[in-house]
Structure formats: structure tokens, C-alpha cells
Amino acid sequence: MKSNAVTSFELELDWTAQTILPIEFRGQEVQVEARAYQGTDPNFQAMVLVHRDKNAGNEVPIVRVHSGCVTGDIFHSLRCDCYPQLQAAMERILKSPVGVLVYLPYQEGRGIGLVNKIRAYALQDQGYDTVDANVAIGAPIEARDYDLAAHILFDLGYPEIRLLTNNPAKVEALREEGVEVTEQIPLIVKPSPYNKRYLATKKERMAHKL
Ligand SMILES: [Zn+2]
């Protein structure tokens, strides 16, 4: 296993599996390499899609590390920008010679879980912004962890990446795990009337580059 020195837990190769997955993207069928990974805690499972051109060389891969969002990614909720970000990321990944999506379902609601996320939404309906709503329910504002994501990138043989994100904290977190982020590529998505405030809070209170 290609791993690095800064391991707080070890990924066992038994905990990975891979296959070829045909997917539909914007009306086109695309074949991607699909891998599943599990951390030491079985609740931490990740889905990885790798797109590699036949004639790809040693390009630094374009990578999206995407936190799962049931409401956004599956039901296309307009309260957050997860779905358009995922779509924009997939577009870049599939167009790049080497592109990787690391999907982390357990990072739901910035890591606070589905029930807490919906509770926070209910408070936002009463006027709280996303940060204050999390504080009010006693949940951390940001509980995401990029340990497993970093291990996966090492396992894939990609210690050096170009990261698709608007979030400087995500770049920092991956760097702290030993991943070399050579470039931060922004994902610009159009706000909807429902997520204007959510995006403004990300920008003003969480230092996102929007
Ligand atoms: Zn979302």
C-alpha cells in the first residue's frame, strides 16, 4: 500500500473494493473506475470515482473531495449549493486527463449528521444563519475530517492534487494530512433565492471564496 507517514489510523487493503461503473452524465454514458473504502470505524465509508484518459500521462489529477448531502446531492435541494457544485466538479473531472471524485457520505451536514442538519434548517427558518443555527443546537460549525480522504489519495498514488473547492479550510485540512495541493480551483455556481443567505454566510463567516 502506498501510504505516508502521517497516519492516525491505517487503511487495510481488505477494506477496499473496486469495479468499473458506467454512469450517465448530462445524457452521455461514461465509464469510470469506482472504488469503495472503509476506515477503521465502519461508519466511515467513502465512494471514489476515478476518470482516466487512455493516453493520460503523469498529470497532477483534478480532485473533488465532496461531503455527502442527501438533501442536495440526491433531491437537488435549493437550500445549499451541493448539487450544482457536484455537477460542476463532475464536469471538470470527466474532462480532465485524470480526475477523481472522493465522496464522503458520513460528512453529512458538515459532519453533524442528517437529523442535526434538518434541525438547523428549522432554526434557519426562524432567522438564524447557518453558523448560529449550529451553535443553537449544540453542534459544531464544522465537524468534517479529511483523514480518510487523504489516505485514499495516497492509496490511489496521488499525493499531489489540484483541488476543486471554494473552501480554503479544506485545502488546509488536506495539507495537514500530508496531501500536496498544488492548486485550488474554484467552483462557481449560481445562487438560488433559497441559498443566497447560506452562500453569504459561507463567504462572510466561513472564509469561502465565492
Ligand atoms: Zn448540501
Side-chain angles (χ1 to χ4, degrees), residues 105-137:
Y106 58 89
Q107 306 266 50
E108 180 69 49
R110 298 193 182 118
I112 65 173
L114 192 51
V115 173
N116 271 334
K117 182 170 87 170
I118 301 299
R119 284 176 71 203
Y121 278 177
L123 284 174
Q124 288 161 34
D125 294 341
Q126 296 166 29
Y128 289 74
D129 73 14
T130 46
V131 170
D132 291 333
N134 278 30
V135 172
I137 60 171

PDB file of all heavy atoms in Angstrom, residues 105-137:
ATOM      1  N   PRO A 105     -19.971  10.212   2.314  1.00  0.00           N
ATOM      2  CA  PRO A 105     -21.368  10.296   2.773  1.00  0.00           C
ATOM      3  C   PRO A 105     -21.490  10.638   4.254  1.00  0.00           C
ATOM      4  O   PRO A 105     -22.463  11.269   4.663  1.00  0.00           O
ATOM      5  CB  PRO A 105     -21.918   8.884   2.517  1.00  0.00           C
ATOM      6  CG  PRO A 105     -20.952   8.218   1.613  1.00  0.00           C
ATOM      7  CD  PRO A 105     -19.625   8.876   1.821  1.00  0.00           C
ATOM      8  N   TYR A 106     -20.484  10.247   5.057  1.00  0.00           N
ATOM      9  CA  TYR A 106     -20.595  10.458   6.510  1.00  0.00           C
ATOM     10  C   TYR A 106     -20.337  11.899   6.916  1.00  0.00           C
ATOM     11  O   TYR A 106     -20.457  12.242   8.090  1.00  0.00           O
ATOM     12  CB  TYR A 106     -19.632   9.516   7.261  1.00  0.00           C
ATOM     13  CG  TYR A 106     -18.192   9.679   6.853  1.00  0.00           C
ATOM     14  CD1 TYR A 106     -17.371  10.606   7.490  1.00  0.00           C
ATOM     15  CD2 TYR A 106     -17.653   8.923   5.817  1.00  0.00           C
ATOM     16  CE1 TYR A 106     -16.060  10.773   7.100  1.00  0.00           C
ATOM     17  CE2 TYR A 106     -16.337   9.078   5.425  1.00  0.00           C
ATOM     18  CZ  TYR A 106     -15.543  10.003   6.064  1.00  0.00           C
ATOM     19  OH  TYR A 106     -14.245  10.168   5.654  1.00  0.00           O
ATOM     20  N   GLN A 107     -20.003  12.763   5.966  1.00  0.00           N
ATOM     21  CA  GLN A 107     -19.772  14.174   6.293  1.00  0.00           C
ATOM     22  C   GLN A 107     -21.054  14.991   6.147  1.00  0.00           C
ATOM     23  O   GLN A 107     -21.001  16.216   5.985  1.00  0.00           O
ATOM     24  CB  GLN A 107     -18.719  14.778   5.359  1.00  0.00           C
ATOM     25  CG  GLN A 107     -17.410  14.043   5.284  1.00  0.00           C
ATOM     26  CD  GLN A 107     -16.366  14.589   6.241  1.00  0.00           C
ATOM     27  OE1 GLN A 107     -16.657  14.763   7.412  1.00  0.00           O
ATOM     28  NE2 GLN A 107     -15.188  14.839   5.762  1.00  0.00           N
ATOM     29  N   GLU A 108     -22.194  14.323   6.184  1.00  0.00           N
ATOM     30  CA  GLU A 108     -23.497  14.974   6.041  1.00  0.00           C
ATOM     31  C   GLU A 108     -23.625  16.197   6.952  1.00  0.00           C
ATOM     32  O   GLU A 108     -23.277  16.145   8.131  1.00  0.00           O
ATOM     33  CB  GLU A 108     -24.583  13.946   6.397  1.00  0.00           C
ATOM     34  CG  GLU A 108     -26.011  14.441   6.297  1.00  0.00           C
ATOM     35  CD  GLU A 108     -26.459  14.691   4.869  1.00  0.00           C
ATOM     36  OE1 GLU A 108     -26.269  13.819   4.011  1.00  0.00           O
ATOM     37  OE2 GLU A 108     -27.003  15.785   4.617  1.00  0.00           O
ATOM     38  N   GLY A 109     -24.139  17.287   6.388  1.00  0.00           N
ATOM     39  CA  GLY A 109     -24.376  18.499   7.194  1.00  0.00           C
ATOM     40  C   GLY A 109     -23.098  19.021   7.827  1.00  0.00           C
ATOM     41  O   GLY A 109     -23.087  19.366   9.009  1.00  0.00           O
ATOM     42  N   ARG A 110     -22.004  19.057   7.049  1.00  0.00           N
ATOM     43  CA  ARG A 110     -20.674  19.445   7.562  1.00  0.00           C
ATOM     44  C   ARG A 110     -20.271  18.562   8.736  1.00  0.00           C
ATOM     45  O   ARG A 110     -19.635  19.008   9.689  1.00  0.00           O
ATOM     46  CB  ARG A 110     -20.615  20.917   7.963  1.00  0.00           C
ATOM     47  CG  ARG A 110     -20.868  21.869   6.800  1.00  0.00           C
ATOM     48  CD  ARG A 110     -20.496  23.311   7.136  1.00  0.00           C
ATOM     49  NE  ARG A 110     -20.806  24.185   6.021  1.00  0.00           N
ATOM     50  CZ  ARG A 110     -21.679  25.184   6.069  1.00  0.00           C
ATOM     51  NH1 ARG A 110     -22.316  25.466   7.187  1.00  0.00           N
ATOM     52  NH2 ARG A 110     -21.886  25.917   5.011  1.00  0.00           N
ATOM     53  N   GLY A 111     -20.716  17.303   8.683  1.00  0.00           N
ATOM     54  CA  GLY A 111     -20.276  16.335   9.684  1.00  0.00           C
ATOM     55  C   GLY A 111     -21.164  16.214  10.915  1.00  0.00           C
ATOM     56  O   GLY A 111     -20.863  15.441  11.812  1.00  0.00           O
ATOM     57  N   ILE A 112     -22.288  16.954  10.960  1.00  0.00           N
ATOM     58  CA  ILE A 112     -23.138  16.900  12.168  1.00  0.00           C
ATOM     59  C   ILE A 112     -24.272  15.890  12.017  1.00  0.00           C
ATOM     60  O   ILE A 112     -25.030  15.650  12.952  1.00  0.00           O
ATOM     61  CB  ILE A 112     -23.717  18.289  12.569  1.00  0.00           C
ATOM     62  CG1 ILE A 112     -24.692  18.833  11.507  1.00  0.00           C
ATOM     63  CG2 ILE A 112     -22.580  19.276  12.831  1.00  0.00           C
ATOM     64  CD1 ILE A 112     -25.415  20.112  11.931  1.00  0.00           C
ATOM     65  N   GLY A 113     -24.430  15.319  10.832  1.00  0.00           N
ATOM     66  CA  GLY A 113     -25.455  14.300  10.611  1.00  0.00           C
ATOM     67  C   GLY A 113     -26.748  14.874  10.071  1.00  0.00           C
ATOM     68  O   GLY A 113     -27.003  16.085  10.144  1.00  0.00           O
ATOM     69  N   LEU A 114     -27.590  13.970   9.571  1.00  0.00           N
ATOM     70  CA  LEU A 114     -28.811  14.383   8.883  1.00  0.00           C
ATOM     71  C   LEU A 114     -29.836  15.022   9.820  1.00  0.00           C
ATOM     72  O   LEU A 114     -30.423  16.058   9.505  1.00  0.00           O
ATOM     73  CB  LEU A 114     -29.405  13.154   8.179  1.00  0.00           C
ATOM     74  CG  LEU A 114     -30.513  13.367   7.172  1.00  0.00           C
ATOM     75  CD1 LEU A 114     -30.162  14.426   6.129  1.00  0.00           C
ATOM     76  CD2 LEU A 114     -30.811  12.049   6.465  1.00  0.00           C
ATOM     77  N   VAL A 115     -30.046  14.427  10.992  1.00  0.00           N
ATOM     78  CA  VAL A 115     -31.071  14.959  11.898  1.00  0.00           C
ATOM     79  C   VAL A 115     -30.693  16.363  12.374  1.00  0.00           C
ATOM     80  O   VAL A 115     -31.502  17.299  12.321  1.00  0.00           O
ATOM     81  CB  VAL A 115     -31.306  14.005  13.098  1.00  0.00           C
ATOM     82  CG1 VAL A 115     -32.249  14.638  14.111  1.00  0.00           C
ATOM     83  CG2 VAL A 115     -31.877  12.677  12.615  1.00  0.00           C
ATOM     84  N   ASN A 116     -29.434  16.524  12.773  1.00  0.00           N
ATOM     85  CA  ASN A 116     -28.980  17.851  13.200  1.00  0.00           C
ATOM     86  C   ASN A 116     -29.074  18.867  12.064  1.00  0.00           C
ATOM     87  O   ASN A 116     -29.384  20.036  12.287  1.00  0.00           O
ATOM     88  CB  ASN A 116     -27.542  17.794  13.713  1.00  0.00           C
ATOM     89  CG  ASN A 116     -27.498  17.493  15.196  1.00  0.00           C
ATOM     90  OD1 ASN A 116     -28.448  17.781  15.933  1.00  0.00           O
ATOM     91  ND2 ASN A 116     -26.396  16.918  15.643  1.00  0.00           N
ATOM     92  N   LYS A 117     -28.780  18.413  10.855  1.00  0.00           N
ATOM     93  CA  LYS A 117     -28.855  19.342   9.721  1.00  0.00           C
ATOM     94  C   LYS A 117     -30.289  19.847   9.541  1.00  0.00           C
ATOM     95  O   LYS A 117     -30.516  21.040   9.366  1.00  0.00           O
ATOM     96  CB  LYS A 117     -28.366  18.683   8.432  1.00  0.00           C
ATOM     97  CG  LYS A 117     -28.395  19.651   7.251  1.00  0.00           C
ATOM     98  CD  LYS A 117     -27.704  19.111   6.030  1.00  0.00           C
ATOM     99  CE  LYS A 117     -28.649  18.291   5.204  1.00  0.00           C
ATOM    100  NZ  LYS A 117     -28.062  17.950   3.888  1.00  0.00           N
ATOM    101  N   ILE A 118     -31.254  18.934   9.606  1.00  0.00           N
ATOM    102  CA  ILE A 118     -32.653  19.338   9.422  1.00  0.00           C
ATOM    103  C   ILE A 118     -33.120  20.211  10.594  1.00  0.00           C
ATOM    104  O   ILE A 118     -33.855  21.184  10.413  1.00  0.00           O
ATOM    105  CB  ILE A 118     -33.571  18.092   9.225  1.00  0.00           C
ATOM    106  CG1 ILE A 118     -33.118  17.283   7.993  1.00  0.00           C
ATOM    107  CG2 ILE A 118     -35.041  18.491   9.104  1.00  0.00           C
ATOM    108  CD1 ILE A 118     -33.151  18.011   6.662  1.00  0.00           C
ATOM    109  N   ARG A 119     -32.624  19.899  11.807  1.00  0.00           N
ATOM    110  CA  ARG A 119     -32.950  20.759  12.957  1.00  0.00           C
ATOM    111  C   ARG A 119     -32.400  22.161  12.732  1.00  0.00           C
ATOM    112  O   ARG A 119     -33.049  23.161  13.038  1.00  0.00           O
ATOM    113  CB  ARG A 119     -32.323  20.189  14.238  1.00  0.00           C
ATOM    114  CG  ARG A 119     -33.050  18.984  14.789  1.00  0.00           C
ATOM    115  CD  ARG A 119     -32.317  18.431  16.002  1.00  0.00           C
ATOM    116  NE  ARG A 119     -32.438  19.293  17.168  1.00  0.00           N
ATOM    117  CZ  ARG A 119     -31.577  19.286  18.192  1.00  0.00           C
ATOM    118  NH1 ARG A 119     -30.536  18.459  18.182  1.00  0.00           N
ATOM    119  NH2 ARG A 119     -31.754  20.083  19.212  1.00  0.00           N
ATOM    120  N   ALA A 120     -31.188  22.228  12.190  1.00  0.00           N
ATOM    121  CA  ALA A 120     -30.575  23.532  11.923  1.00  0.00           C
ATOM    122  C   ALA A 120     -31.371  24.286  10.843  1.00  0.00           C
ATOM    123  O   ALA A 120     -31.565  25.500  10.946  1.00  0.00           O
ATOM    124  CB  ALA A 120     -29.119  23.354  11.495  1.00  0.00           C
ATOM    125  N   TYR A 121     -31.866  23.561   9.847  1.00  0.00           N
ATOM    126  CA  TYR A 121     -32.708  24.201   8.818  1.00  0.00           C
ATOM    127  C   TYR A 121     -33.937  24.836   9.461  1.00  0.00           C
ATOM    128  O   TYR A 121     -34.346  25.944   9.103  1.00  0.00           O
ATOM    129  CB  TYR A 121     -33.180  23.172   7.787  1.00  0.00           C
ATOM    130  CG  TYR A 121     -32.191  22.839   6.681  1.00  0.00           C
ATOM    131  CD1 TYR A 121     -32.492  21.862   5.730  1.00  0.00           C
ATOM    132  CD2 TYR A 121     -30.968  23.499   6.579  1.00  0.00           C
ATOM    133  CE1 TYR A 121     -31.608  21.545   4.711  1.00  0.00           C
ATOM    134  CE2 TYR A 121     -30.077  23.182   5.564  1.00  0.00           C
ATOM    135  CZ  TYR A 121     -30.398  22.207   4.630  1.00  0.00           C
ATOM    136  OH  TYR A 121     -29.538  21.898   3.628  1.00  0.00           O
ATOM    137  N   ALA A 122     -34.553  24.095  10.408  1.00  0.00           N
ATOM    138  CA  ALA A 122     -35.761  24.596  11.062  1.00  0.00           C
ATOM    139  C   ALA A 122     -35.456  25.908  11.796  1.00  0.00           C
ATOM    140  O   ALA A 122     -36.265  26.839  11.774  1.00  0.00           O
ATOM    141  CB  ALA A 122     -36.314  23.548  12.020  1.00  0.00           C
ATOM    142  N   LEU A 123     -34.271  25.980  12.414  1.00  0.00           N
ATOM    143  CA  LEU A 123     -33.891  27.227  13.093  1.00  0.00           C
ATOM    144  C   LEU A 123     -33.623  28.339  12.086  1.00  0.00           C
ATOM    145  O   LEU A 123     -33.937  29.507  12.332  1.00  0.00           O
ATOM    146  CB  LEU A 123     -32.647  27.001  13.957  1.00  0.00           C
ATOM    147  CG  LEU A 123     -32.884  26.257  15.266  1.00  0.00           C
ATOM    148  CD1 LEU A 123     -31.559  25.980  15.957  1.00  0.00           C
ATOM    149  CD2 LEU A 123     -33.803  27.066  16.200  1.00  0.00           C
ATOM    150  N   GLN A 124     -33.036  27.954  10.947  1.00  0.00           N
ATOM    151  CA  GLN A 124     -32.783  28.975   9.916  1.00  0.00           C
ATOM    152  C   GLN A 124     -34.099  29.567   9.417  1.00  0.00           C
ATOM    153  O   GLN A 124     -34.156  30.748   9.073  1.00  0.00           O
ATOM    154  CB  GLN A 124     -31.995  28.372   8.754  1.00  0.00           C
ATOM    155  CG  GLN A 124     -30.539  28.074   9.112  1.00  0.00           C
ATOM    156  CD  GLN A 124     -29.917  27.087   8.145  1.00  0.00           C
ATOM    157  OE1 GLN A 124     -30.224  27.077   6.968  1.00  0.00           O
ATOM    158  NE2 GLN A 124     -29.050  26.229   8.652  1.00  0.00           N
ATOM    159  N   ASP A 125     -35.156  28.747   9.417  1.00  0.00           N
ATOM    160  CA  ASP A 125     -36.480  29.261   9.019  1.00  0.00           C
ATOM    161  C   ASP A 125     -36.933  30.355   9.981  1.00  0.00           C
ATOM    162  O   ASP A 125     -37.754  31.195   9.644  1.00  0.00           O
ATOM    163  CB  ASP A 125     -37.532  28.135   9.011  1.00  0.00           C
ATOM    164  CG  ASP A 125     -37.242  27.089   7.940  1.00  0.00           C
ATOM    165  OD1 ASP A 125     -36.485  27.408   7.003  1.00  0.00           O
ATOM    166  OD2 ASP A 125     -37.749  25.956   8.062  1.00  0.00           O
ATOM    167  N   GLN A 126     -36.391  30.312  11.217  1.00  0.00           N
ATOM    168  CA  GLN A 126     -36.746  31.341  12.208  1.00  0.00           C
ATOM    169  C   GLN A 126     -35.775  32.510  12.188  1.00  0.00           C
ATOM    170  O   GLN A 126     -35.797  33.355  13.071  1.00  0.00           O
ATOM    171  CB  GLN A 126     -36.754  30.722  13.609  1.00  0.00           C
ATOM    172  CG  GLN A 126     -37.810  29.647  13.806  1.00  0.00           C
ATOM    173  CD  GLN A 126     -37.550  28.849  15.072  1.00  0.00           C
ATOM    174  OE1 GLN A 126     -36.989  29.339  16.039  1.00  0.00           O
ATOM    175  NE2 GLN A 126     -37.960  27.583  15.057  1.00  0.00           N
ATOM    176  N   GLY A 127     -34.850  32.511  11.238  1.00  0.00           N
ATOM    177  CA  GLY A 127     -33.984  33.673  11.085  1.00  0.00           C
ATOM    178  C   GLY A 127     -32.525  33.494  11.438  1.00  0.00           C
ATOM    179  O   GLY A 127     -31.721  34.393  11.244  1.00  0.00           O
ATOM    180  N   TYR A 128     -32.140  32.324  11.954  1.00  0.00           N
ATOM    181  CA  TYR A 128     -30.727  32.090  12.264  1.00  0.00           C
ATOM    182  C   TYR A 128     -29.933  31.890  10.960  1.00  0.00           C
ATOM    183  O   TYR A 128     -30.470  31.351   9.990  1.00  0.00           O
ATOM    184  CB  TYR A 128     -30.572  30.803  13.076  1.00  0.00           C
ATOM    185  CG  TYR A 128     -31.061  30.852  14.502  1.00  0.00           C
ATOM    186  CD1 TYR A 128     -32.425  30.853  14.792  1.00  0.00           C
ATOM    187  CD2 TYR A 128     -30.161  30.855  15.558  1.00  0.00           C
ATOM    188  CE1 TYR A 128     -32.883  30.868  16.099  1.00  0.00           C
ATOM    189  CE2 TYR A 128     -30.611  30.863  16.876  1.00  0.00           C
ATOM    190  CZ  TYR A 128     -31.972  30.872  17.141  1.00  0.00           C
ATOM    191  OH  TYR A 128     -32.396  30.873  18.433  1.00  0.00           O
ATOM    192  N   ASP A 129     -28.670  32.277  10.939  1.00  0.00           N
ATOM    193  CA  ASP A 129     -27.850  31.904   9.783  1.00  0.00           C
ATOM    194  C   ASP A 129     -27.262  30.520  10.062  1.00  0.00           C
ATOM    195  O   ASP A 129     -27.458  29.951  11.143  1.00  0.00           O
ATOM    196  CB  ASP A 129     -26.803  32.970   9.430  1.00  0.00           C
ATOM    197  CG  ASP A 129     -25.624  33.050  10.392  1.00  0.00           C
ATOM    198  OD1 ASP A 129     -25.428  32.128  11.201  1.00  0.00           O
ATOM    199  OD2 ASP A 129     -24.891  34.054  10.330  1.00  0.00           O
ATOM    200  N   THR A 130     -26.549  29.931   9.083  1.00  0.00           N
ATOM    201  CA  THR A 130     -26.110  28.537   9.230  1.00  0.00           C
ATOM    202  C   THR A 130     -25.164  28.346  10.412  1.00  0.00           C
ATOM    203  O   THR A 130     -25.212  27.329  11.097  1.00  0.00           O
ATOM    204  CB  THR A 130     -25.426  28.025   7.941  1.00  0.00           C
ATOM    205  OG1 THR A 130     -24.500  29.004   7.486  1.00  0.00           O
ATOM    206  CG2 THR A 130     -26.432  27.756   6.853  1.00  0.00           C
ATOM    207  N   VAL A 131     -24.329  29.347  10.674  1.00  0.00           N
ATOM    208  CA  VAL A 131     -23.378  29.239  11.781  1.00  0.00           C
ATOM    209  C   VAL A 131     -24.123  29.285  13.119  1.00  0.00           C
ATOM    210  O   VAL A 131     -23.965  28.411  13.975  1.00  0.00           O
ATOM    211  CB  VAL A 131     -22.291  30.342  11.689  1.00  0.00           C
ATOM    212  CG1 VAL A 131     -21.449  30.390  12.953  1.00  0.00           C
ATOM    213  CG2 VAL A 131     -21.395  30.115  10.466  1.00  0.00           C
ATOM    214  N   ASP A 132     -24.981  30.321  13.300  1.00  0.00           N
ATOM    215  CA  ASP A 132     -25.716  30.470  14.561  1.00  0.00           C
ATOM    216  C   ASP A 132     -26.673  29.302  14.819  1.00  0.00           C
ATOM    217  O   ASP A 132     -26.885  28.910  15.962  1.00  0.00           O
ATOM    218  CB  ASP A 132     -26.497  31.790  14.570  1.00  0.00           C
ATOM    219  CG  ASP A 132     -25.558  32.983  14.634  1.00  0.00           C
ATOM    220  OD1 ASP A 132     -24.442  32.817  15.171  1.00  0.00           O
ATOM    221  OD2 ASP A 132     -25.922  34.061  14.134  1.00  0.00           O
ATOM    222  N   ALA A 133     -27.250  28.747  13.747  1.00  0.00           N
ATOM    223  CA  ALA A 133     -28.169  27.613  13.913  1.00  0.00           C
ATOM    224  C   ALA A 133     -27.414  26.421  14.497  1.00  0.00           C
ATOM    225  O   ALA A 133     -27.903  25.759  15.424  1.00  0.00           O
ATOM    226  CB  ALA A 133     -28.805  27.249  12.574  1.00  0.00           C
ATOM    227  N   ASN A 134     -26.219  26.145  14.000  1.00  0.00           N
ATOM    228  CA  ASN A 134     -25.422  25.031  14.543  1.00  0.00           C
ATOM    229  C   ASN A 134     -25.070  25.273  16.008  1.00  0.00           C
ATOM    230  O   ASN A 134     -25.142  24.358  16.825  1.00  0.00           O
ATOM    231  CB  ASN A 134     -24.138  24.839  13.741  1.00  0.00           C
ATOM    232  CG  ASN A 134     -24.368  24.020  12.482  1.00  0.00           C
ATOM    233  OD1 ASN A 134     -25.451  24.046  11.913  1.00  0.00           O
ATOM    234  ND2 ASN A 134     -23.364  23.282  12.074  1.00  0.00           N
ATOM    235  N   VAL A 135     -24.718  26.512  16.323  1.00  0.00           N
ATOM    236  CA  VAL A 135     -24.381  26.851  17.706  1.00  0.00           C
ATOM    237  C   VAL A 135     -25.602  26.601  18.603  1.00  0.00           C
ATOM    238  O   VAL A 135     -25.497  25.994  19.666  1.00  0.00           O
ATOM    239  CB  VAL A 135     -23.896  28.325  17.808  1.00  0.00           C
ATOM    240  CG1 VAL A 135     -23.732  28.749  19.269  1.00  0.00           C
ATOM    241  CG2 VAL A 135     -22.570  28.510  17.054  1.00  0.00           C
ATOM    242  N   ALA A 136     -26.783  27.023  18.133  1.00  0.00           N
ATOM    243  CA  ALA A 136     -28.012  26.891  18.926  1.00  0.00           C
ATOM    244  C   ALA A 136     -28.378  25.439  19.225  1.00  0.00           C
ATOM    245  O   ALA A 136     -28.924  25.132  20.275  1.00  0.00           O
ATOM    246  CB  ALA A 136     -29.172  27.589  18.208  1.00  0.00           C
ATOM    247  N   ILE A 137     -28.069  24.506  18.307  1.00  0.00           N
ATOM    248  CA  ILE A 137     -28.410  23.103  18.578  1.00  0.00           C
ATOM    249  C   ILE A 137     -27.240  22.362  19.230  1.00  0.00           C
ATOM    250  O   ILE A 137     -27.280  21.152  19.432  1.00  0.00           O
ATOM    251  CB  ILE A 137     -28.876  22.337  17.307  1.00  0.00           C
ATOM    252  CG1 ILE A 137     -27.790  22.330  16.224  1.00  0.00           C
ATOM    253  CG2 ILE A 137     -30.173  22.899  16.787  1.00  0.00           C
ATOM    254  CD1 ILE A 137     -28.114  21.420  15.053  1.00  0.00           C
TER     255      ILE A 137
END
